Amino acid sequence: MNAMGRRSTAAVAVLLIVALSACDSAKSALHPAEQAPATTTTPAAPAPDCGNPVASFAPDGPRPAPGQMPSGSFMAKIQQRGRLVAGVSADTLLFGFRNPFSGQLEGFDIDLVRRVAQEIFGDPNRVEYRALTYAQRIPALMDGSVDIVADVMTINCTRWGQISFSSQYFDAGQKVLVRSDSKARGIQDLNGERMCVAKGSTNFDNMKNYPKVIPVPVDDISDCMVLFQQGTADAVTGDDTVLAGFVRQDPYAKIVGPPITSEPYGLGIAKTHPDFVRFVNSVLEDIRADGTWRAWYAKWLKPPGAVPQPPPAKYGRAS
Amino acid sequence: MKTAPISQEHESRARVLIADAFAGTPGRLRLFGAVSVTACLVFGAAGFLLVNHLDNSLGQERAHAAQLVRIQTIRTSLVKADANATNAFLVGGLEPADARAAYVDGINSAAATLAEASNADAASASELQAVNKVLANYTGLVESARANNRQGFPIGAAYLRQASKSLRDDALPPLETLVSAERKRVDSSANAVGHAQDGVLLLLVVVVVCLLVTQIWLFRRTHRVINLPVAFATVLVLVTGVIAIGVMGWSRGRDDKAREGPYTQTVALATVRIDAFDAKSSESLTLIARGSGQPFEDRFKSVAADARRALVDVVDPRTRSSFDVYLVRHTAVRAADDGGRYDRAVAMATGNGAANAAFGAFETSSRHALTQQSTELSDALAHARFPLLMLSLLLLAAGVVAAIVARRGIAQRLQEYR
């Protein structure tokens, strides 16, 4: 991309930051429930106030060159171990899935993890993947069994209480998937219907706002597709990104309705490693700026229209 | 009203006649004659029935053992099919033709044995029907997994997971219940084998005592040294009775030996194989789950421990050593996966990889051992029954002959009172 293009991208990014922060504050004021999903560990606790959830730690100074992580940093520890341990999904088409032909993991989230490994080791293949269910993501970070989670993970204040997030790298929204012959135009038309939803997800937490819809909770959201195709569930709710992957696998399914919520994605990192968050944010800066983000978007989501701009980074969180 | 006195008269007349018949020495003679003849006939009839009962018990034991083998075959075929389906999936890309063939083979064998087992025993038909339903559902899910897989859709993995789960949750537990019920039936049939022999011994003692008492009474009353026909009847009963006890003891011994040997081996080998296939599936599922497979690895540990326990009873050295080799190779698979070398772990667990090859060696040797032992079991139980039909007829004939001879002996003495 040329200098002109980069400058205009930056300008759009600045505009978006302003718009998004306005949106966020408005939303948290209007719909506190949406911002305060209960988690499995603290089901009844109100959401802690974490300021703007999508604000992360700003990168500090120039990033160390691959293979030369500063001693004492978490990145140095990873470098010493010889591989980055990443918690991912193995069956979310488009974001993190096992390619049945090659047996290898692929997707937007996988590309992100490989890029982080590239920046630490100079080799994108130095990754050990751990396929996690949604509910396993935060515990895996907290007990140190993974270094980073790249698994369509929504940033919110409750989770900030347990882990840290990178800057936002994707803007998703919760939607509903129904049979292609369904007359439903959104979740409001699905009262009394069986709605499959993954446990430990913000989607699951949001279901309590629709008490007349019958939830069918499963461990893994791809199990929802099995139940849906077998007729045991009438609909599936999840992020539009995940549902888009399902629709690709089933021409008799369609996504309906406006987004129920906004789901900003971030990479999850343990609370004890703010240095790694800053490092990853610096990598994300590059990905946004050098056109990689839009290339990945085009590659994985194959939008019918124009490829959008990446969500801008927001900083200002004190570590 | 008028008939009452007449019938009373008849009754008392009959009583008098009976009393006359057994009154005095000739009367007593008639009484002892009746007792001896009855004792000999009872010996023949009851001996015939007891030996038949033994024959039936052994037959039932054989039938229950055969049914047990069938149900174990169904379980083995199901876990084998599942192990092959999950392993083929793990390889990625187009499944290896032999893994697919092994899966189809497992399903066909399970379906055929299910039909055979339902026909063989109506008591377990309803459970087997439930298993048949699960099997239909299972193959449907596996085919969906396969169809998705072939199109490159990752939800194939979810279908496979559901398939494995339905098999483990819905098909294996009723089969386990049937196995323990069938083992109990084998045991109770085996107990009946002992009862029949004890029955013949008791019968022999009672009949011989009856004949001896008759002989002693005759000796005292008639002052003859010995009543030869009654003595002949006694010896005939005694000899055939002793032969019967001997032959039944032999049958029982064969049965005990079959239970200690091939039966124990068949049960242990079948258990080891089922647990081992379950372990192999769990190994594949752990790798498919890629890092979040701890529940599957836990299952591996538990079923592998079950297999080790059952292996204690197995005498076939090749089965024992090959399973231990597989366990060592599995540890290497886990070490590779946990050490971040996932691709290496998958290579070891599939195709010609070390762990998969070791499992294949175990599968072959345990299959041969099981076939050999279950054939031996069936043969041994058939062999134990072999002389019993002849024996039952011998007892019946001996009883009838002894009764005729004893009656003649008493009749000779009665003549002397005419």
Side-chain angles (χ1 to χ4, degrees):
Chain A
M1 193 179 268
N2 59 32
M4 269 283 282
R6 195 169 294 177
R7 207 172 303 138
S8 63
T9 308
V12 171
V14 170
L15 280 172
L16 272 167
I17 290 169
V18 177
L20 198 80
S21 53
C23 260
D24 267 58
S25 49
K27 197 188 301 167
S28 45
L30 282 173
H31 305 289
E34 282 179 8
Q35 297 287 323
T39 64
T40 46
T41 45
T42 52
D49 181 15
C50 68
N52 182 358
V54 295
S56 182
F57 310 128
D60 50 353
R63 199 166 65 237
Q68 292 163 16
M69 296 298 116
S71 63
S73 70
F74 186 58
M75 294 79 80
K77 239 172 132 181
I78 296 169
Q79 191 190 327
Q80 212 171 8
R81 189 201 295 136
R83 59 185 192 276
L84 173 70
V85 183
V88 297
S89 166
D91 50 12
T92 305
L93 192 66
L94 313 182
F95 277 78
F97 67 100
R98 182 178 172 278
N99 181 329
F101 299 125
S102 65
Q104 299 298 315
L105 289 171
E106 292 177 3
F108 197 105
D109 282 333
I110 305 298
D111 281 346
L112 268 172
V113 168
R114 286 169 59 82
R115 178 63 180 266
V116 172
Q118 165 75 40
E119 298 302 330
I120 296 174
F121 300 100
D123 176 2
N125 294 317
R126 297 261 193 131
V127 185
E128 177 186 341
Y129 296 103
R130 294 268 163 94
L132 303 176
T133 65
Y134 288 162
Q136 289 169 334
R137 296 176 299 191
I138 290 175
L141 281 171
M142 291 176 77
D143 69 15
S145 54
V146 298
D147 301 328
I148 190 167
V149 164
D151 182 5
V152 293
M153 192 169 190
T154 302
I155 306 171
N156 65 37
C157 279
T158 309
R159 288 173 175 172
W160 265 110
Q162 299 167 300
I163 58 166
S164 299
F165 284 102
S166 72
S167 60
Q168 181 185 354
Y169 71 86
F170 209 94
D171 194 6
Q174 181 177 349
K175 288 191 180 177
V176 174
L177 177 143
V178 291
R179 283 168 58 110
S180 56
D181 58 0
S182 167
K183 297 214 164 52
R185 292 164 72 188
I187 194 166
Q188 68 282 353
D189 299 331
L190 292 166
N191 287 346
E193 305 276 308
R194 296 160 301 174
M195 175 82 81
C196 187
V197 60
K199 288 182 229 167
S201 65
T202 47
N203 312 137
F204 182 76
D205 301 328
N206 296 335
M207 282 293 288
K208 66 178 177 294
N209 300 325
Y210 303 93
K212 286 187 180 153
V213 179
I214 304 159
V216 180
V218 295
D219 284 327
D220 211 306
I221 189 149
S222 61
D223 292 337
C224 276
M225 241 1 235
V226 175
L227 297 187
F228 175 75
Q229 291 184 344
Q230 304 268 311
T232 321
D234 304 307
V236 178
T237 185
D239 294 350
D240 51 4
T241 47
V242 177
L243 298 182
F246 287 157
V247 170
R248 295 261 176 97
Q249 301 177 65
D250 185 353
Y252 293 101
K254 65 177 180 190
I255 301 171
V256 293
I260 301 165
T261 57
S262 163
E263 308 284 339
Y265 291 165
L267 299 168
I269 292 169
K271 252 196 153 6
T272 41
H273 308 309
D275 53 343
F276 189 39
V277 178
R278 290 179 199 281
F279 179 89
V280 168
N281 281 343
S282 152
V283 176
L284 287 173
E285 286 285 341
D286 285 4
I287 290 169
R288 287 188 194 92
D290 66 9
T292 306
W293 190 93
R294 297 190 71 205
W296 286 348
Y297 191 101
K299 172 179 158 195
W300 294 116
L301 287 119
K302 297 191 179 76
V307 173
Q309 292 299 325
K314 289 197 70 185
Y315 303 118
R317 186 169 300 275
S319 46
Chain B
M1 289 287 164
K2 277 179 187 175
T3 56
I6 298 166
S7 81
Q8 263 175 11
E9 205 173 303
H10 270 277
E11 212 172 275
S12 55
R13 197 183 293 167
R15 213 175 278 164
V16 169
L17 272 175
I18 291 169
D20 277 352
F22 293 112
T25 303
R28 289 285 153 77
L29 203 50
R30 274 192 204 98
L31 182 65
F32 275 105
V35 167
S36 312
V37 168
T38 311
C40 291
L41 289 176
V42 164
F43 175 77
F48 175 80
L49 291 176
L50 281 166
V51 174
N52 253 329
H53 177 62
L54 171 64
D55 194 28
N56 282 339
S57 300
L58 285 172
Q60 269 174 15
E61 189 183 337
R62 184 160 178 251
H64 289 315
Q67 182 75 345
L68 181 63
V69 169
R70 271 184 222 111
I71 294 166
Q72 297 284 45
T73 306
I74 298 168
R75 287 174 75 195
T76 314
S77 305
L78 290 178
V79 285
K80 181 182 168 188
D82 194 49
N84 279 298
T86 48
N87 200 260
F89 198 85
L90 187 56
V91 178
L94 202 56
E95 71 217 337
D98 49 349
R100 172 69 184 173
Y103 163 80
V104 171
D105 182 52
I107 293 298
N108 286 344
S109 148
T113 320
L114 264 170
E116 208 182 297
S118 308
N119 286 338
D121 179 22
S124 43
S126 70
E127 278 100 338
L128 293 173
Q129 206 176 358
V131 174
N132 214 358
K133 256 187 190 164
V134 179
L135 182 63
N137 182 37
Y138 171 79
T139 50
L141 289 170
V142 169
E143 290 313 314
S144 296
R146 200 164 163 252
N148 277 296
N149 203 33
R150 287 190 90 114
Q151 294 175 82
F153 295 158
I155 64 164
Y159 269 101
L160 191 71
R161 210 163 43 223
Q162 289 281 332
S164 257
K165 191 169 148 33
S166 80
L167 198 68
R168 278 173 174 68
D169 292 355
D170 305 330
L172 297 185
L175 288 173
E176 274 160 40
T177 313
L178 282 180
V179 163
S180 54
E182 215 59 52
R183 287 187 69 168
K184 273 188 199 129
R185 284 182 199 142
V186 170
D187 288 345
S188 73
S189 305
N191 288 339
V193 168
H195 294 155
Q197 197 194 9
D198 297 344
V200 169
L201 180 64
L202 185 69
L203 178 69
L204 181 64
V205 169
V206 170
V207 171
V208 167
V209 165
C210 285
L211 290 173
L212 283 180
V213 168
T214 307
Q215 186 72 267
I216 290 164
W217 186 84
L218 283 172
F219 174 72
R220 286 194 183 152
R221 272 304 147 100
T222 62
H223 306 292
R224 307 265 166 130
V225 180
I226 198 158
N227 183 307
L228 272 177
V230 173
F232 175 78
T234 313
V235 171
L236 184 63
V237 164
L238 199 61
V239 169
T240 49
V242 168
I243 289 174
I245 289 168
V247 171
M248 290 168 94
W250 176 85
S251 281
R252 196 176 166 182
R254 302 281 311 181
D255 177 50
D256 285 348
K257 241 184 171 173
R259 284 170 51 74
E260 275 165 29
Y263 177 71
T264 311
Q265 292 305 306
T266 303
V267 169
L269 280 164
T271 311
V272 170
R273 277 171 62 80
I274 289 158
D275 289 333
F277 279 118
D278 201 341
K280 185 68 180 138
S281 297
S282 303
E283 179 184 270
S284 300
L285 287 168
T286 309
L287 289 170
I288 290 171
R290 193 155 195 169
S292 57
Q294 197 53 44
F296 298 115
E297 177 57 14
D298 291 345
R299 182 173 177 98
F300 179 94
K301 289 204 179 99
S302 124
V303 289
D306 290 346
R308 281 304 280 119
R309 262 194 295 283
L311 210 56
V312 171
D313 291 332
V314 171
V315 290
D316 181 53
R318 292 225 304 241
T319 300
R320 296 173 68 120
S321 59
S322 57
F323 188 71
D324 288 339
V325 171
Y326 168 65
L327 284 185
V328 171
R329 304 265 169 91
H330 169 80
T331 313
V333 170
R334 290 314 315 147
D337 187 23
D338 293 339
R341 286 163 299 159
Y342 176 78
D343 292 340
R344 194 175 144 63
V346 170
M348 287 160 86
T350 55
N352 294 321
N356 209 39
F359 189 82
F362 160 79
E363 203 275 320
T364 309
S365 49
S366 63
R367 176 156 39 83
H368 288 157
L370 180 60
T371 311
Q372 191 199 339
Q373 294 293 342
S374 63
T375 311
E376 254 178 52
L377 173 64
S378 175
D379 288 352
L381 291 177
H383 196 195
R385 292 176 69 186
F386 176 66
L388 294 180
L389 179 63
M390 288 296 287
L391 181 67
S392 66
L393 292 176
L394 176 72
L395 285 179
L396 189 63
V400 171
V401 170
I404 292 168
V405 174
R407 196 188 165 278
R408 188 165 297 168
I410 303 293
Q412 280 174 3
R413 294 289 84 81
L414 263 175
Q415 298 258 301
E416 293 164 7
Y417 290 90
R418 293 249 157 104

